[in-house]
Amino acid sequence: MSKVTMKLDDLTCPSCMTKIEGALSKKDGVKDVKVLFNASKIKAEFDDATVTAESLADTVTDLGYTVKSSKVKAL
């Protein structure tokens, strides 16, 4: 298991938060995801044998958001 924290560039509304949480939570291997609207951050816990932090960032990018930075920590 790992945890990733992604800083976003352009989180502008609460519906964006819901959109991102929904898309990431549907990915196989994602155990928990929280989007912190006021901080423009995503925190996700995932099974790194099933999904990568890069693929989670790609999902966010595919939704039209910019990931400024990302930090991965093994649990």
Side-chain angles (χ1 to χ4, degrees), residues 19-36:
K19 183 178 177 181
I20 294 168
E21 281 181 349
L24 291 178
S25 65
K26 290 179 186 174
K27 301 271 293 176
D28 287 338
V30 174
K31 304 298 180 194
D32 186 45
V33 62
K34 290 187 178 32
V35 178
L36 307 170

Side-chain angles (χ1 to χ4, degrees), residues 37-53:
F37 174 69
N38 290 334
S40 291
K41 287 185 182 177
I42 301 168
K43 294 187 177 195
E45 188 175 315
F46 62 98
D47 179 0
D48 46 6
T50 306
V51 67
T52 64

Side-chain angles (χ1 to χ4, degrees), residues 2 7 9-10 17 19-20 22-23 25-26 33-35 43-47 57-58 62 66 68 70 72 75:
S2 293
K7 178 73 175 154
D9 191 31
D10 49 4
M17 177 181 72
K19 183 178 177 181
I20 294 168
S25 65
K26 290 179 186 174
V33 62
K34 290 187 178 32
V35 178
K43 294 187 177 195
E45 188 175 315
F46 62 98
D47 179 0
D58 288 344
D62 290 346
T66 302
K68 287 174 53 172
S70 163
V72 179
L75 298 177

